[in-house]
Amino acid sequence: MSMMRWNEDEARRLILGQMVSLIDGMRTQAIRSSTGKFRKREPISVFRPQTLQELMAQVEVELEKLAADHGQLRDFAESMRVLLRRMPDASLLEMYDAVMDASEQWLGDVAVEDADGLRTDEQHPTQLEEVSLLIDDLRRERRKPTRREKLAIHMAHEALANGARLQLPYKPLPIPGFGDTQTYMSVTDPGEGHLAGTTTREDWMRGVLVHVEHLERGHQGRESVESYRIPRILNVAKVRLHVAGRAPVTSFIGRPMFDSGKFHLDLWKTVQTMSGTCTAMFQMGVAECKVAMDRMTASQIIEFMRCLRSNILRDSRTQLLSAAINLNTPLVDDRDGGSRVVVDRKEIGLLGIELVKAGGFDKVTWDGAADTYPSLPVMEQLTHAEALELVHRAHERGLRTYFSAGFRFPHIPLAVYTGVDGVGIGGAQILRYMDSQTGFHGPFQPENISRILAIRDEAARSPLGRAASLLARLDWLHSQRRLDDHQEELRAELYEALSRQQVDSVLQGLESQARSATV
């Protein structure tokens, strides 16, 4: 791979992009080594096109901020300003080598030997496929990229930004009770944290959904700003490049946009806008798109889901649609012409199952986000028996399940003991720095993934974890009408025992019988 295939402005833009990455890396390093409170005054900005001159000016501004916020980095900032002044006159090769020298000196993220690790097999002829295989090699070999490899990855990112299409294998979500583990950790980030963290280690993607979602909302209420928002689609493409078929990649889409406030007037535009977005995600190999069911009555939710799913282009066997039901938002059940207001969390959750099944979506998400941020953990908003009942009822109706909002380390086992398929985990609670004053996010903390997965695995090995996984399998087989009368009796007995959290007496002997059953 060579920068010679780019024109001069494009190549200089690519080099400036490497400088921005280096500055971000130094800022992250400084924040992580600081003992003071993390502070961030500005939210993540919306991407805007920039001329070469504007991009150079942005680099200058970022260097000024870096030096002002982290005095120990003044020498680094000055050395980068010297490089920036050379940009208009220096050759492309000189500038690239200079930036790589700086990256090696200050971050140590470049391999010393410039060996050629790129594949050129005819079996993988395209640039994006080659780079995806390269990233996989780096991950498995646990090594730093060489200069040439780092350039190739950055060029692949630029190619995606310029419309290059991904044609990589993707991994679908597992069937309940039949995956590597029952409860997958949906490691959540807007994208950059996945590129620099989640996707860099093989063991960080085992039993994990790599979920891309914009989490930052500051201290804003849910009426003003959604708890979670759609990420930048380029970030989703980059994450897919880095993950390929190693783990399922999922994405949040958002809540429907009813501009007039009149459901049927806005339905056409809302359905076509969101179906186009979901289709674009699925065409990139995303395994699941999640849509929030906000600001609608029960009958409207059903109609919206039916219209939306029929306008999305996807492989419905391996690419799922998930409906997010907020447990803290009262829901008007008008299905029979009435107007019953449902406010109890468990009742909202149970009603959500009925609506998702009627609407034809594949997965129900119970979200506990409210106006406070960070959110109160959803596992503290429901009792064990309530959470288990939601998962159990959804599984036996043939729906996948998911809990989100406020998860911290102690709440992971509580979710595992319900047999839920996925847990939304990320953001300020556990994987990002956050300024408590502004609510804005800072660097990703990838080292916490190991702890998250260790806690999950330990809980999964416990009697309650094994019982929950077994119940999920039996419930799913029930939904497929694969159980005989005796197995149905065992399923009911196991559910009651798990609800009481007293499973030892019924667990023995059940595991071997259940594992003999197949989908």
Side-chain angles (χ1 to χ4, degrees), residues 112-133:
V112 176
E113 293 185 7
D114 198 7
D116 183 2
L118 295 179
R119 302 188 181 203
T120 56
D121 311 48
E122 291 184 4
Q123 185 181 0
H124 306 288
T126 69
Q127 175 180 322
L128 293 180
E129 288 173 333
E130 288 175 357
V131 172
S132 185
L133 288 167

mmCIF file with all atom_site columns, all heavy atoms in Angstrom, residues 112-133:
data_model
loop_
_atom_site.group_PDB
_atom_site.id
_atom_site.type_symbol
_atom_site.label_atom_id
_atom_site.label_alt_id
_atom_site.label_comp_id
_atom_site.label_asym_id
_atom_site.label_entity_id
_atom_site.label_seq_id
_atom_site.pdbx_PDB_ins_code
_atom_site.Cartn_x
_atom_site.Cartn_y
_atom_site.Cartn_z
_atom_site.occupancy
_atom_site.B_iso_or_equiv
_atom_site.pdbx_formal_charge
_atom_site.auth_seq_id
_atom_site.auth_comp_id
_atom_site.auth_asym_id
_atom_site.auth_atom_id
_atom_site.pdbx_PDB_model_num
ATOM 1   N N   . VAL A 1 112 ? 9.233   -1.539  15.951 1.00 0.00 ? 112 VAL A N   1
ATOM 2   C CA  . VAL A 1 112 ? 10.540  -1.020  15.532 1.00 0.00 ? 112 VAL A CA  1
ATOM 3   C C   . VAL A 1 112 ? 10.902  -1.531  14.151 1.00 0.00 ? 112 VAL A C   1
ATOM 4   O O   . VAL A 1 112 ? 11.320  -0.778  13.264 1.00 0.00 ? 112 VAL A O   1
ATOM 5   C CB  . VAL A 1 112 ? 11.627  -1.422  16.552 1.00 0.00 ? 112 VAL A CB  1
ATOM 6   C CG1 . VAL A 1 112 ? 12.997  -0.967  16.060 1.00 0.00 ? 112 VAL A CG1 1
ATOM 7   C CG2 . VAL A 1 112 ? 11.312  -0.814  17.913 1.00 0.00 ? 112 VAL A CG2 1
ATOM 8   N N   . GLU A 1 113 ? 10.764  -2.825  13.910 1.00 0.00 ? 113 GLU A N   1
ATOM 9   C CA  . GLU A 1 113 ? 11.106  -3.394  12.614 1.00 0.00 ? 113 GLU A CA  1
ATOM 10  C C   . GLU A 1 113 ? 9.948   -3.215  11.655 1.00 0.00 ? 113 GLU A C   1
ATOM 11  O O   . GLU A 1 113 ? 8.804   -3.519  11.977 1.00 0.00 ? 113 GLU A O   1
ATOM 12  C CB  . GLU A 1 113 ? 11.439  -4.886  12.762 1.00 0.00 ? 113 GLU A CB  1
ATOM 13  C CG  . GLU A 1 113 ? 12.708  -5.143  13.547 1.00 0.00 ? 113 GLU A CG  1
ATOM 14  C CD  . GLU A 1 113 ? 13.074  -6.619  13.564 1.00 0.00 ? 113 GLU A CD  1
ATOM 15  O OE1 . GLU A 1 113 ? 12.408  -7.389  12.849 1.00 0.00 ? 113 GLU A OE1 1
ATOM 16  O OE2 . GLU A 1 113 ? 14.004  -6.984  14.287 1.00 0.00 ? 113 GLU A OE2 1
ATOM 17  N N   . ASP A 1 114 ? 10.246  -2.749  10.462 1.00 0.00 ? 114 ASP A N   1
ATOM 18  C CA  . ASP A 1 114 ? 9.215   -2.469  9.475  1.00 0.00 ? 114 ASP A CA  1
ATOM 19  C C   . ASP A 1 114 ? 9.016   -3.674  8.569  1.00 0.00 ? 114 ASP A C   1
ATOM 20  O O   . ASP A 1 114 ? 9.223   -3.629  7.368  1.00 0.00 ? 114 ASP A O   1
ATOM 21  C CB  . ASP A 1 114 ? 9.606   -1.243  8.649  1.00 0.00 ? 114 ASP A CB  1
ATOM 22  C CG  . ASP A 1 114 ? 8.395   -0.665  7.925  1.00 0.00 ? 114 ASP A CG  1
ATOM 23  O OD1 . ASP A 1 114 ? 7.280   -1.139  8.183  1.00 0.00 ? 114 ASP A OD1 1
ATOM 24  O OD2 . ASP A 1 114 ? 8.579   0.250   7.104  1.00 0.00 ? 114 ASP A OD2 1
ATOM 25  N N   . ALA A 1 115 ? 8.607   -4.799  9.177  1.00 0.00 ? 115 ALA A N   1
ATOM 26  C CA  . ALA A 1 115 ? 8.377   -6.012  8.394  1.00 0.00 ? 115 ALA A CA  1
ATOM 27  C C   . ALA A 1 115 ? 7.072   -5.891  7.626  1.00 0.00 ? 115 ALA A C   1
ATOM 28  O O   . ALA A 1 115 ? 6.165   -5.162  8.021  1.00 0.00 ? 115 ALA A O   1
ATOM 29  C CB  . ALA A 1 115 ? 8.332   -7.222  9.316  1.00 0.00 ? 115 ALA A CB  1
ATOM 30  N N   . ASP A 1 116 ? 6.982   -6.624  6.521  1.00 0.00 ? 116 ASP A N   1
ATOM 31  C CA  . ASP A 1 116 ? 5.793   -6.580  5.686  1.00 0.00 ? 116 ASP A CA  1
ATOM 32  C C   . ASP A 1 116 ? 4.806   -7.631  6.167  1.00 0.00 ? 116 ASP A C   1
ATOM 33  O O   . ASP A 1 116 ? 4.978   -8.816  5.929  1.00 0.00 ? 116 ASP A O   1
ATOM 34  C CB  . ASP A 1 116 ? 6.180   -6.850  4.231  1.00 0.00 ? 116 ASP A CB  1
ATOM 35  C CG  . ASP A 1 116 ? 4.972   -6.745  3.305  1.00 0.00 ? 116 ASP A CG  1
ATOM 36  O OD1 . ASP A 1 116 ? 3.878   -6.435  3.812  1.00 0.00 ? 116 ASP A OD1 1
ATOM 37  O OD2 . ASP A 1 116 ? 5.138   -6.964  2.100  1.00 0.00 ? 116 ASP A OD2 1
ATOM 38  N N   . GLY A 1 117 ? 3.765   -7.182  6.867  1.00 0.00 ? 117 GLY A N   1
ATOM 39  C CA  . GLY A 1 117 ? 2.791   -8.129  7.382  1.00 0.00 ? 117 GLY A CA  1
ATOM 40  C C   . GLY A 1 117 ? 1.536   -8.204  6.539  1.00 0.00 ? 117 GLY A C   1
ATOM 41  O O   . GLY A 1 117 ? 0.605   -8.909  6.875  1.00 0.00 ? 117 GLY A O   1
ATOM 42  N N   . LEU A 1 118 ? 1.476   -7.447  5.431  1.00 0.00 ? 118 LEU A N   1
ATOM 43  C CA  . LEU A 1 118 ? 0.279   -7.443  4.609  1.00 0.00 ? 118 LEU A CA  1
ATOM 44  C C   . LEU A 1 118 ? 0.199   -8.682  3.738  1.00 0.00 ? 118 LEU A C   1
ATOM 45  O O   . LEU A 1 118 ? 1.192   -9.141  3.197  1.00 0.00 ? 118 LEU A O   1
ATOM 46  C CB  . LEU A 1 118 ? 0.245   -6.197  3.714  1.00 0.00 ? 118 LEU A CB  1
ATOM 47  C CG  . LEU A 1 118 ? 0.125   -4.870  4.459  1.00 0.00 ? 118 LEU A CG  1
ATOM 48  C CD1 . LEU A 1 118 ? 0.135   -3.730  3.464  1.00 0.00 ? 118 LEU A CD1 1
ATOM 49  C CD2 . LEU A 1 118 ? -1.156  -4.828  5.261  1.00 0.00 ? 118 LEU A CD2 1
ATOM 50  N N   . ARG A 1 119 ? -1.010  -9.193  3.593  1.00 0.00 ? 119 ARG A N   1
ATOM 51  C CA  . ARG A 1 119 ? -1.213  -10.363 2.757  1.00 0.00 ? 119 ARG A CA  1
ATOM 52  C C   . ARG A 1 119 ? -1.481  -9.925  1.322  1.00 0.00 ? 119 ARG A C   1
ATOM 53  O O   . ARG A 1 119 ? -2.074  -8.889  1.072  1.00 0.00 ? 119 ARG A O   1
ATOM 54  C CB  . ARG A 1 119 ? -2.405  -11.170 3.267  1.00 0.00 ? 119 ARG A CB  1
ATOM 55  C CG  . ARG A 1 119 ? -2.252  -11.629 4.704  1.00 0.00 ? 119 ARG A CG  1
ATOM 56  C CD  . ARG A 1 119 ? -3.372  -12.559 5.050  1.00 0.00 ? 119 ARG A CD  1
ATOM 57  N NE  . ARG A 1 119 ? -3.256  -12.985 6.444  1.00 0.00 ? 119 ARG A NE  1
ATOM 58  C CZ  . ARG A 1 119 ? -3.791  -14.093 6.908  1.00 0.00 ? 119 ARG A CZ  1
ATOM 59  N NH1 . ARG A 1 119 ? -4.454  -14.891 6.126  1.00 0.00 ? 119 ARG A NH1 1
ATOM 60  N NH2 . ARG A 1 119 ? -3.662  -14.412 8.180  1.00 0.00 ? 119 ARG A NH2 1
ATOM 61  N N   . THR A 1 120 ? -1.079  -10.744 0.388  1.00 0.00 ? 120 THR A N   1
ATOM 62  C CA  . THR A 1 120 ? -1.331  -10.435 -1.011 1.00 0.00 ? 120 THR A CA  1
ATOM 63  C C   . THR A 1 120 ? -1.912  -11.647 -1.734 1.00 0.00 ? 120 THR A C   1
ATOM 64  O O   . THR A 1 120 ? -1.838  -11.746 -2.947 1.00 0.00 ? 120 THR A O   1
ATOM 65  C CB  . THR A 1 120 ? -0.023  -10.007 -1.709 1.00 0.00 ? 120 THR A CB  1
ATOM 66  O OG1 . THR A 1 120 ? 0.950   -11.049 -1.547 1.00 0.00 ? 120 THR A OG1 1
ATOM 67  C CG2 . THR A 1 120 ? 0.513   -8.725  -1.116 1.00 0.00 ? 120 THR A CG2 1
ATOM 68  N N   . ASP A 1 121 ? -2.497  -12.592 -0.978 1.00 0.00 ? 121 ASP A N   1
ATOM 69  C CA  . ASP A 1 121 ? -3.065  -13.786 -1.596 1.00 0.00 ? 121 ASP A CA  1
ATOM 70  C C   . ASP A 1 121 ? -4.169  -13.397 -2.574 1.00 0.00 ? 121 ASP A C   1
ATOM 71  O O   . ASP A 1 121 ? -4.910  -12.456 -2.347 1.00 0.00 ? 121 ASP A O   1
ATOM 72  C CB  . ASP A 1 121 ? -3.693  -14.705 -0.534 1.00 0.00 ? 121 ASP A CB  1
ATOM 73  C CG  . ASP A 1 121 ? -2.759  -14.961 0.632  1.00 0.00 ? 121 ASP A CG  1
ATOM 74  O OD1 . ASP A 1 121 ? -2.201  -13.993 1.154  1.00 0.00 ? 121 ASP A OD1 1
ATOM 75  O OD2 . ASP A 1 121 ? -2.612  -16.125 1.016  1.00 0.00 ? 121 ASP A OD2 1
ATOM 76  N N   . GLU A 1 122 ? -4.282  -14.161 -3.650 1.00 0.00 ? 122 GLU A N   1
ATOM 77  C CA  . GLU A 1 122 ? -5.345  -13.904 -4.600 1.00 0.00 ? 122 GLU A CA  1
ATOM 78  C C   . GLU A 1 122 ? -6.714  -14.137 -3.966 1.00 0.00 ? 122 GLU A C   1
ATOM 79  O O   . GLU A 1 122 ? -7.720  -13.603 -4.407 1.00 0.00 ? 122 GLU A O   1
ATOM 80  C CB  . GLU A 1 122 ? -5.177  -14.797 -5.831 1.00 0.00 ? 122 GLU A CB  1
ATOM 81  C CG  . GLU A 1 122 ? -3.970  -14.428 -6.691 1.00 0.00 ? 122 GLU A CG  1
ATOM 82  C CD  . GLU A 1 122 ? -3.891  -15.275 -7.947 1.00 0.00 ? 122 GLU A CD  1
ATOM 83  O OE1 . GLU A 1 122 ? -4.816  -16.091 -8.162 1.00 0.00 ? 122 GLU A OE1 1
ATOM 84  O OE2 . GLU A 1 122 ? -2.917  -15.123 -8.694 1.00 0.00 ? 122 GLU A OE2 1
ATOM 85  N N   . GLN A 1 123 ? -6.747  -14.952 -2.900 1.00 0.00 ? 123 GLN A N   1
ATOM 86  C CA  . GLN A 1 123 ? -8.002  -15.239 -2.217 1.00 0.00 ? 123 GLN A CA  1
ATOM 87  C C   . GLN A 1 123 ? -8.571  -13.986 -1.550 1.00 0.00 ? 123 GLN A C   1
ATOM 88  O O   . GLN A 1 123 ? -9.768  -13.894 -1.307 1.00 0.00 ? 123 GLN A O   1
ATOM 89  C CB  . GLN A 1 123 ? -7.765  -16.334 -1.172 1.00 0.00 ? 123 GLN A CB  1
ATOM 90  C CG  . GLN A 1 123 ? -9.038  -16.811 -0.477 1.00 0.00 ? 123 GLN A CG  1
ATOM 91  C CD  . GLN A 1 123 ? -8.738  -17.864 0.565  1.00 0.00 ? 123 GLN A CD  1
ATOM 92  O OE1 . GLN A 1 123 ? -7.585  -18.226 0.766  1.00 0.00 ? 123 GLN A OE1 1
ATOM 93  N NE2 . GLN A 1 123 ? -9.778  -18.353 1.224  1.00 0.00 ? 123 GLN A NE2 1
ATOM 94  N N   . HIS A 1 124 ? -7.723  -13.023 -1.237 1.00 0.00 ? 124 HIS A N   1
ATOM 95  C CA  . HIS A 1 124 ? -8.160  -11.794 -0.572 1.00 0.00 ? 124 HIS A CA  1
ATOM 96  C C   . HIS A 1 124 ? -7.642  -10.607 -1.384 1.00 0.00 ? 124 HIS A C   1
ATOM 97  O O   . HIS A 1 124 ? -6.703  -9.931  -0.990 1.00 0.00 ? 124 HIS A O   1
ATOM 98  C CB  . HIS A 1 124 ? -7.627  -11.749 0.854  1.00 0.00 ? 124 HIS A CB  1
ATOM 99  C CG  . HIS A 1 124 ? -7.977  -12.963 1.657  1.00 0.00 ? 124 HIS A CG  1
ATOM 100 N ND1 . HIS A 1 124 ? -9.245  -13.212 2.105  1.00 0.00 ? 124 HIS A ND1 1
ATOM 101 C CD2 . HIS A 1 124 ? -7.213  -14.015 2.047  1.00 0.00 ? 124 HIS A CD2 1
ATOM 102 C CE1 . HIS A 1 124 ? -9.256  -14.355 2.766  1.00 0.00 ? 124 HIS A CE1 1
ATOM 103 N NE2 . HIS A 1 124 ? -8.051  -14.860 2.743  1.00 0.00 ? 124 HIS A NE2 1
ATOM 104 N N   . PRO A 1 125 ? -8.278  -10.341 -2.527 1.00 0.00 ? 125 PRO A N   1
ATOM 105 C CA  . PRO A 1 125 ? -7.681  -9.391  -3.468 1.00 0.00 ? 125 PRO A CA  1
ATOM 106 C C   . PRO A 1 125 ? -7.922  -7.926  -3.140 1.00 0.00 ? 125 PRO A C   1
ATOM 107 O O   . PRO A 1 125 ? -7.193  -7.073  -3.634 1.00 0.00 ? 125 PRO A O   1
ATOM 108 C CB  . PRO A 1 125 ? -8.374  -9.749  -4.786 1.00 0.00 ? 125 PRO A CB  1
ATOM 109 C CG  . PRO A 1 125 ? -9.709  -10.294 -4.359 1.00 0.00 ? 125 PRO A CG  1
ATOM 110 C CD  . PRO A 1 125 ? -9.472  -10.986 -3.056 1.00 0.00 ? 125 PRO A CD  1
ATOM 111 N N   . THR A 1 126 ? -8.948  -7.604  -2.357 1.00 0.00 ? 126 THR A N   1
ATOM 112 C CA  . THR A 1 126 ? -9.271  -6.199  -2.191 1.00 0.00 ? 126 THR A CA  1
ATOM 113 C C   . THR A 1 126 ? -8.548  -5.607  -0.993 1.00 0.00 ? 126 THR A C   1
ATOM 114 O O   . THR A 1 126 ? -8.203  -6.291  -0.039 1.00 0.00 ? 126 THR A O   1
ATOM 115 C CB  . THR A 1 126 ? -10.784 -6.001  -1.986 1.00 0.00 ? 126 THR A CB  1
ATOM 116 O OG1 . THR A 1 126 ? -11.152 -6.538  -0.715 1.00 0.00 ? 126 THR A OG1 1
ATOM 117 C CG2 . THR A 1 126 ? -11.587 -6.697  -3.075 1.00 0.00 ? 126 THR A CG2 1
ATOM 118 N N   . GLN A 1 127 ? -8.373  -4.307  -1.030 1.00 0.00 ? 127 GLN A N   1
ATOM 119 C CA  . GLN A 1 127 ? -7.642  -3.617  0.029  1.00 0.00 ? 127 GLN A CA  1
ATOM 120 C C   . GLN A 1 127 ? -8.309  -3.800  1.380  1.00 0.00 ? 127 GLN A C   1
ATOM 121 O O   . GLN A 1 127 ? -7.639  -4.103  2.372  1.00 0.00 ? 127 GLN A O   1
ATOM 122 C CB  . GLN A 1 127 ? -7.535  -2.141  -0.299 1.00 0.00 ? 127 GLN A CB  1
ATOM 123 C CG  . GLN A 1 127 ? -6.890  -1.327  0.824  1.00 0.00 ? 127 GLN A CG  1
ATOM 124 C CD  . GLN A 1 127 ? -6.796  0.143   0.477  1.00 0.00 ? 127 GLN A CD  1
ATOM 125 O OE1 . GLN A 1 127 ? -6.525  0.490   -0.674 1.00 0.00 ? 127 GLN A OE1 1
ATOM 126 N NE2 . GLN A 1 127 ? -7.030  1.001   1.447  1.00 0.00 ? 127 GLN A NE2 1
ATOM 127 N N   . LEU A 1 128 ? -9.634  -3.617  1.482  1.00 0.00 ? 128 LEU A N   1
ATOM 128 C CA  . LEU A 1 128 ? -10.308 -3.713  2.764  1.00 0.00 ? 128 LEU A CA  1
ATOM 129 C C   . LEU A 1 128 ? -10.218 -5.119  3.335  1.00 0.00 ? 128 LEU A C   1
ATOM 130 O O   . LEU A 1 128 ? -10.033 -5.291  4.539  1.00 0.00 ? 128 LEU A O   1
ATOM 131 C CB  . LEU A 1 128 ? -11.773 -3.285  2.634  1.00 0.00 ? 128 LEU A CB  1
ATOM 132 C CG  . LEU A 1 128 ? -12.012 -1.810  2.308  1.00 0.00 ? 128 LEU A CG  1
ATOM 133 C CD1 . LEU A 1 128 ? -13.505 -1.519  2.214  1.00 0.00 ? 128 LEU A CD1 1
ATOM 134 C CD2 . LEU A 1 128 ? -11.362 -0.893  3.329  1.00 0.00 ? 128 LEU A CD2 1
ATOM 135 N N   . GLU A 1 129 ? -10.337 -6.126  2.499  1.00 0.00 ? 129 GLU A N   1
ATOM 136 C CA  . GLU A 1 129 ? -10.215 -7.498  2.989  1.00 0.00 ? 129 GLU A CA  1
ATOM 137 C C   . GLU A 1 129 ? -8.807  -7.776  3.491  1.00 0.00 ? 129 GLU A C   1
ATOM 138 O O   . GLU A 1 129 ? -8.615  -8.428  4.524  1.00 0.00 ? 129 GLU A O   1
ATOM 139 C CB  . GLU A 1 129 ? -10.583 -8.479  1.866  1.00 0.00 ? 129 GLU A CB  1
ATOM 140 C CG  . GLU A 1 129 ? -12.077 -8.499  1.567  1.00 0.00 ? 129 GLU A CG  1
ATOM 141 C CD  . GLU A 1 129 ? -12.396 -9.339  0.347  1.00 0.00 ? 129 GLU A CD  1
ATOM 142 O OE1 . GLU A 1 129 ? -11.532 -9.470  -0.540 1.00 0.00 ? 129 GLU A OE1 1
ATOM 143 O OE2 . GLU A 1 129 ? -13.512 -9.860  0.267  1.00 0.00 ? 129 GLU A OE2 1
ATOM 144 N N   . GLU A 1 130 ? -7.820  -7.290  2.777  1.00 0.00 ? 130 GLU A N   1
ATOM 145 C CA  . GLU A 1 130 ? -6.432  -7.466  3.211  1.00 0.00 ? 130 GLU A CA  1
ATOM 146 C C   . GLU A 1 130 ? -6.197  -6.800  4.558  1.00 0.00 ? 130 GLU A C   1
ATOM 147 O O   . GLU A 1 130 ? -5.558  -7.380  5.450  1.00 0.00 ? 130 GLU A O   1
ATOM 148 C CB  . GLU A 1 130 ? -5.481  -6.872  2.168  1.00 0.00 ? 130 GLU A CB  1
ATOM 149 C CG  . GLU A 1 130 ? -5.381  -7.663  0.877  1.00 0.00 ? 130 GLU A CG  1
ATOM 150 C CD  . GLU A 1 130 ? -4.513  -6.962  -0.140 1.00 0.00 ? 130 GLU A CD  1
ATOM 151 O OE1 . GLU A 1 130 ? -4.038  -5.847  0.151  1.00 0.00 ? 130 GLU A OE1 1
ATOM 152 O OE2 . GLU A 1 130 ? -4.309  -7.511  -1.223 1.00 0.00 ? 130 GLU A OE2 1
ATOM 153 N N   . VAL A 1 131 ? -6.706  -5.584  4.707  1.00 0.00 ? 131 VAL A N   1
ATOM 154 C CA  . VAL A 1 131 ? -6.490  -4.848  5.954  1.00 0.00 ? 131 VAL A CA  1
ATOM 155 C C   . VAL A 1 131 ? -7.235  -5.519  7.101  1.00 0.00 ? 131 VAL A C   1
ATOM 156 O O   . VAL A 1 131 ? -6.723  -5.590  8.225  1.00 0.00 ? 131 VAL A O   1
ATOM 157 C CB  . VAL A 1 131 ? -6.911  -3.372  5.795  1.00 0.00 ? 131 VAL A CB  1
ATOM 158 C CG1 . VAL A 1 131 ? -6.866  -2.654  7.145  1.00 0.00 ? 131 VAL A CG1 1
ATOM 159 C CG2 . VAL A 1 131 ? -5.998  -2.670  4.798  1.00 0.00 ? 131 VAL A CG2 1
ATOM 160 N N   . SER A 1 132 ? -8.430  -6.029  6.847  1.00 0.00 ? 132 SER A N   1
ATOM 161 C CA  . SER A 1 132 ? -9.167  -6.733  7.898  1.00 0.00 ? 132 SER A CA  1
ATOM 162 C C   . SER A 1 132 ? -8.402  -7.969  8.363  1.00 0.00 ? 132 SER A C   1
ATOM 163 O O   . SER A 1 132 ? -8.324  -8.256  9.566  1.00 0.00 ? 132 SER A O   1
ATOM 164 C CB  . SER A 1 132 ? -10.557 -7.135  7.384  1.00 0.00 ? 132 SER A CB  1
ATOM 165 O OG  . SER A 1 132 ? -11.320 -7.709  8.416  1.00 0.00 ? 132 SER A OG  1
ATOM 166 N N   . LEU A 1 133 ? -7.801  -8.694  7.424  1.00 0.00 ? 133 LEU A N   1
ATOM 167 C CA  . LEU A 1 133 ? -6.982  -9.846  7.792  1.00 0.00 ? 133 LEU A CA  1
ATOM 168 C C   . LEU A 1 133 ? -5.730  -9.419  8.554  1.00 0.00 ? 133 LEU A C   1
ATOM 169 O O   . LEU A 1 133 ? -5.295  -10.093 9.493  1.00 0.00 ? 133 LEU A O   1
ATOM 170 C CB  . LEU A 1 133 ? -6.588  -10.624 6.534  1.00 0.00 ? 133 LEU A CB  1
ATOM 171 C CG  . LEU A 1 133 ? -7.724  -11.416 5.870  1.00 0.00 ? 133 LEU A CG  1
ATOM 172 C CD1 . LEU A 1 133 ? -7.293  -11.881 4.485  1.00 0.00 ? 133 LEU A CD1 1
ATOM 173 C CD2 . LEU A 1 133 ? -8.135  -12.603 6.720  1.00 0.00 ? 133 LEU A CD2 1
#
